[in-house]
Amino acid sequence: MEGTPKQPKNCSSLLEQLVAEAREAPLGGQVADYIPALAEVAAEHVGIAVVELDGTTHTAGDFDVCFSIQSISKIFGLALAMERAGDSLWERVRMEPSGQAFNSVVQLEWEHGIPRNPFINAGAIVVSDVLTSRYSASKSALIQYIRYLAGTESVHTNHEVWESEKEHGNRNAALAYLMKSFGNIEADVPAVLDHYFFQCSVEMNCLQLAQSLGFLANKGIQPGTEERICDARSAHRINALLSTSGMYDQSGEFAFTVGLPAKSGVGGGIVAVVPDYGVIAAWSPPLNRFGNPTRAVQMVTEFAQRLGLSVYH
Ligand code: GLU
């Protein structure tokens, strides 16, 4: 039986050990190669950061090297769209695991253009439509929001990745036009896709990611500034969606073995929320067959298991 999160005496040395073990382990897959800018990232990178609610920070490895956050950005987009759209958002995107690939088209056709959840691409494109329709400058609003949460102006979008995403974005375009045909996209599709690709191309490091998402571990209040980012119900809902749909088609296994709300991205990053404790962010570019970063997932798993952090205790 697992209890409330234990305060480890030697958290930093545990992280050092996890990074050392990860560096020894097999790469565990291939670096994403659907665009050149991601394929060029060195597979050997390994980093991890843990930020606790009281501001205590532990880091190891390449925790300060920026990488493409890709699907992790779907959390930021969703939090902002929930604030702008309120409950009407849930008429346009559901809250169920998809059981399909993150960029699957078939399910969307069967289900009349209503995506299963906001963490598959179709759902994130609906979220991007909400932001595009409700902000005169949605990309700027999103990056300012992320900078505010991360507490640094240095967060930026990689323009090479952004351009590449657009160039290789035919499947996402198919999802968007299909949803438009069902009346579930309001703005012009190219503008919505531009926002979505911009969002995917944001770069951050592990420390910035762990810092920025503290509000999800703290009932909507950002630790440090004590600003309310969202209401407690929204934080609860985002965590619930992360638990059921944040780890692609491995979300069930991740809940089973780790038991934390989490989101990964094809850039090799993963963030895991530990309610009332803090946030873990890890990075290692090679991806397993589900699109999750093998060694980064392993580090988060070890950390959570050794400290007894599962929410399902
Ligand atoms: N830019 C990627 C896409 O839309 C994001 C994929 C991901 O990280 O899941 O296909």
Side-chain angles (χ1 to χ4, degrees):
M1 182 80 175
E2 296 173 22
T4 50
K6 299 175 191 71
Q7 184 68 35
K9 290 194 182 64
N10 54 357
C11 197
S12 295
S13 63
L14 172 57
L15 294 191
E16 294 289 351
Q17 186 190 335
L18 294 177
V19 165
E21 285 170 6
R23 286 190 169 137
E24 293 290 308
L27 291 177
Q30 305 285 324
V31 174
D33 59 1
Y34 67 96
I35 56 173
L38 288 185
E40 286 158 13
V41 175
E44 292 73 27
H45 285 296
V46 177
I48 188 164
V50 175
V51 178
E52 299 177 27
L53 296 188
D54 67 0
T56 307
T57 296
H58 310 278
T59 56
D62 301 319
F63 72 90
D64 57 354
V65 178
C66 286
F67 59 90
S68 194
I69 68 169
Q70 291 292 331
S71 265
I72 297 173
S73 69
K74 290 170 180 165
I75 305 176
F76 297 116
L78 176 62
L80 200 52
M82 284 169 75
E83 188 194 301
R84 299 300 282 201
D87 283 349
S88 68
L89 178 64
W90 307 110
E91 290 161 20
R92 299 180 55 192
V93 57
R94 298 172 62 208
M95 60 288 282
E96 300 299 335
S98 72
Q100 302 285 321
F102 68 99
N103 56 5
S104 168
V105 178
V106 283
Q107 192 170 50
L108 199 57
E109 166 78 347
W110 291 330
E111 299 187 355
H112 310 288
I114 307 292
R116 279 285 177 110
N117 67 70
F119 295 139
I120 53 173
N121 283 12
I125 290 168
V126 168
V127 164
S128 298
D129 180 49
V130 168
L131 298 177
T132 307
S133 307
R134 286 167 198 253
Y135 283 100
S136 55
S138 66
K139 299 187 288 283
S140 161
L142 183 87
I143 201 79
Q144 291 305 335
Y145 181 66
I146 297 176
R147 287 174 180 160
Y148 174 70
L149 293 175
T152 169
E153 287 296 305
S154 71
V155 177
H156 62 279
T157 281
N158 182 315
H159 284 247
E160 189 192 340
V161 174
W162 184 19
E163 287 305 320
S164 242
E165 292 280 352
K166 282 189 229 180
E167 210 173 306
H168 296 85
N170 290 329
R171 183 170 279 267
N172 287 315
L175 294 170
Y177 281 109
L178 183 59
M179 290 191 288
K180 183 86 175 171
S181 78
F182 281 110
N184 198 18
I185 294 290
E186 286 171 17
D188 284 344
V189 167
V192 174
L193 290 172
D194 188 48
H195 176 102
Y196 173 70
F197 294 134
F198 174 90
Q199 177 176 303
C200 288
S201 308
V202 170
E203 292 189 336
M204 295 173 79
N205 63 39
C206 292
L207 183 58
Q208 291 167 344
L209 272 172
Q211 273 165 344
S212 62
L213 293 171
F215 70 99
L216 292 179
N218 197 33
K219 301 179 176 68
I221 295 172
Q222 191 69 326
T225 64
E226 302 307 317
E227 294 277 350
R228 180 164 286 288
I229 307 300
C230 63
D231 57 26
R233 187 183 74 154
S234 296
H236 159 92
R237 288 180 162 190
I238 294 171
N239 286 333
L241 289 164
L242 289 171
S243 297
T244 51
S245 307
M247 297 292 289
Y248 304 113
D249 254 0
Q250 218 174 2
S251 299
E253 183 185 334
F254 192 82
F256 188 82
T257 55
V258 183
L260 292 175
K263 183 79 203 84
S264 55
V266 295
I270 171 174
V271 293
V273 178
V274 190
D276 303 322
Y277 173 77
V279 179
I280 311 162
W283 175 50
S284 167
L287 308 175
N288 67 16
R289 68 190 173 92
F290 297 102
N292 288 315
T294 308
R295 296 184 301 175
V297 170
Q298 184 57 28
M299 288 192 292
V300 172
T301 303
E302 284 286 326
F303 187 83
Q305 288 180 345
R306 290 194 202 184
L307 271 59
L309 300 180
S310 169
V311 299
Y312 303 114
H313 54 73

